[in-house]
Amino acid sequence: MRSGLIPLIVAAGLIGPAAAQDLVGHGGPVGALDAGQGLLVSGGFDTRAILWDLDAATARNVTRFHSGNVTAVRLLPMGGFMTAGQDGRLAVWQADGRIPEFVTPPGQSAIASLDVSDDGAQVAAGYWDGRVVRLDLASRETQTFAAHSDRVTGLGFLPGGDLVTVGGDLLLARWTALSELTFRVGLPALPNGLVRGDDGLAVIFADGALRLYDDAGVLRSDRFLTDRPLVSVASGLGHIAAGTLDGTVWLVHSDDLVPRQSFMAANGPVWGLAIAQGQLFTSGADGTIRRWSLDGAALGGGVAAAMPAVHDSSRGAEIWKNCAVCHSLDPDDHTRAGPSLYGIFGRKIGSQPGYDYSEALQAMAIIWTPQTLSDLFTYGPEAYTPGSRMPEQKIAAPEDRDALASYLERIVADAE
């Protein structure tokens, strides 16, 4: 843990009533949340997982274990919490433990989804390569099976111990406690997440729809909420919350998906959602975990106006807004989730002094040029720089990739 983090969070707790304060402690985007039992656990792109005391609005435990992003987190019913990472590992933590009490070996691919059974006996993790690993927390034994031909975008335990999964192959499947297939049904669009609600299985889709399925995979209800992809989902207290790529959160009734509220919760994607203690918690690109009432009212600081693109109004500057979440253009500024990109061209990958790169990145021979930058966003970090901590993302249009490269060259030239 970096020195000064806990005092900073505690000092922030003096601003107002603790139960209404936003939570600040991550050094970059926060992509995973889970809440309950007066606690919230968060996982960030900065490799940290933080266990928060919600009543005191302070960090109870700050861990930094995974090699790369913490991609999923879950509280354990009997105490402690789970973390999953871009490194493919699962880690079991005691609430106040500084090192995990159990860790699985590194995986062949990153973990995309995670759930814990109601009795706290089992954990299931879905991987980018379509596999599912079930971990028995008492025996530490694992079962591994191929659930999908593409990324397991969501999964959840049913009350009896069966598991339901959705994947990038546009399928919903149910598996017995012995990991035997019960059924598969086709889905109408790409699913981006799954959560068990009070009245069925809520699945969010890239087409902006929220759909409710029963335990047999039969569609019960669907609701098109937006023309933007839904990227996060949570349930609780008779509500389902769905977060979008543009920062909107939708709160709907869990039984019929009738919308109650929609509001802007972030300047950018809402990567994490959780419902507990009569509150909604959201997280996104700026690293702040925000509190909201179930009527959509900000209980903490709310959302500040979006920062304008730096220096000019070019197309490259607009694209840079997304990069600026994790990177700075100031020399030697490594305070965000990623290193400064000042003077990136002509430099070997993983060589910027003062930043803690992964070993995989340091071992690569890539020299950054406008062409290699374009290649990165053509193929995506998973394929082009495997083992890096960079979240998977692509820039589809060649002219946009060129605009970003021109912008980076121009900003550094102007600064010099």
Side-chain angles (χ1 to χ4, degrees):
M1 183 184 71
R2 294 182 181 176
S3 62
L5 178 61
I6 296 296
L8 176 62
I9 298 169
V10 173
L14 300 177
I15 296 174
Q21 289 170 27
D22 296 333
L23 306 175
V24 181
H26 284 279
V30 177
L33 298 178
D34 191 30
Q37 312 163 53
L39 301 170
L40 182 142
V41 60
S42 57
F45 289 21
D46 58 359
T47 75
R48 292 190 184 109
I50 302 179
L51 183 67
W52 303 87
D53 183 314
L54 289 178
D55 292 330
T58 57
R60 175 171 172 177
N61 191 1
V62 181
T63 72
R64 196 167 190 177
F65 168 75
H66 291 279
S67 300
N69 307 342
V70 180
T71 56
V73 293
R74 282 292 183 271
L75 292 169
L76 296 174
M78 306 305 292
F81 59 99
M82 294 285 309
T83 61
Q86 190 177 12
D87 56 9
R89 292 189 291 182
L90 287 167
V92 182
W93 302 82
Q94 292 294 332
D96 298 307
R98 293 299 184 263
I99 59 173
E101 66 172 20
F102 176 76
V103 180
T104 61
Q108 300 173 13
S109 68
I111 296 174
S113 48
L114 182 69
D115 198 26
V116 179
S117 61
D118 289 351
D119 60 6
Q122 285 207 336
V123 172
Y127 286 73
W128 277 74
D129 62 8
R131 293 177 302 119
V132 167
V133 171
R134 296 179 69 147
L135 168 66
D136 185 285
L137 288 174
S139 68
R140 310 301 198 201
E141 294 180 353
T142 60
Q143 300 176 35
T144 303
F145 62 97
H148 295 272
S149 61
D150 204 332
R151 179 167 59 109
V152 183
T153 57
L155 50 74
F157 279 99
L158 297 175
D162 280 9
L163 189 67
V164 179
T165 63
V166 292
D169 53 5
L170 310 190
L171 293 172
L172 181 152
R174 177 169 172 170
W175 311 86
T176 69
L178 298 176
S179 303
E180 297 169 338
L181 179 65
T182 300
F183 65 78
R184 278 194 179 103
V185 297
L187 298 172
L190 175 67
N192 280 336
L194 175 152
V195 67
R196 199 179 90 209
D198 299 329
D199 297 279
L201 304 166
V203 183
I204 54 171
F205 288 85
D207 65 358
L210 174 64
R211 297 181 171 96
L212 193 65
Y213 294 83
D214 66 17
D215 292 353
V218 176
L219 178 65
R220 290 185 48 198
S221 180
D222 64 351
R223 182 77 57 173
F224 280 90
L225 299 176
T226 173
D227 60 357
R228 304 303 301 275
L230 299 176
V231 294
S232 56
V233 63
S235 69
L237 304 175
H239 294 77
I240 295 171
T244 70
L245 202 61
D246 66 0
T248 305
V249 168
W250 291 82
L251 280 165
V252 306
H253 293 286
S254 62
D255 55 351
D256 56 13
L257 306 188
V258 172
R260 292 189 68 251
Q261 300 287 341
S262 66
F263 59 95
M264 291 299 297
N267 291 310
V270 180
W271 294 125
L273 288 168
I275 298 174
Q277 298 187 186
Q279 299 177 356
L280 173 70
F281 300 86
T282 66
S283 65
D286 65 0
T288 298
I289 301 165
R290 293 184 168 84
R291 301 188 195 227
W292 311 84
S293 75
L294 293 181
D295 292 323
L299 300 178
V303 182
M307 293 295 291
V310 293
H311 292 290
D312 61 33
S313 57
S314 66
R315 177 59 180 161
E318 288 299 313
I319 298 168
W320 170 254
K321 285 182 181 179
N322 301 310
C323 307
V325 170
C326 294
H327 300 280
S328 169
L329 283 177
D330 294 326
D332 305 318
D333 179 4
H334 308 309
T335 60
R336 305 184 190 186
S340 169
L341 298 189
Y342 180 87
I344 182 176
F345 295 130
R347 179 181 294 128
K348 178 182 176 296
I349 189 172
S351 65
Q352 177 80 288
Y355 184 77
D356 182 21
Y357 291 95
S358 68
E359 293 182 4
L361 218 63
Q362 294 180 60
M364 295 177 186
I366 297 171
I367 302 296
W368 287 122
T369 65
Q371 182 58 55
T372 54
L373 182 73
S374 178
D375 291 342
L376 170 67
F377 290 112
T378 299
Y379 303 107
E382 288 286 334
Y384 194 68
T385 55
S388 76
R389 300 166 185 164
M390 187 174 180
E392 182 65 7
Q393 54 195 299
K394 298 178 183 178
I395 299 175
E399 58 269 25
D400 285 347
R401 299 195 296 268
D402 292 344
L404 177 61
S406 296
Y407 173 74
L408 292 175
E409 288 183 306
R410 184 169 64 256
I411 292 303
V412 171
D414 291 347
E416 294 175 342

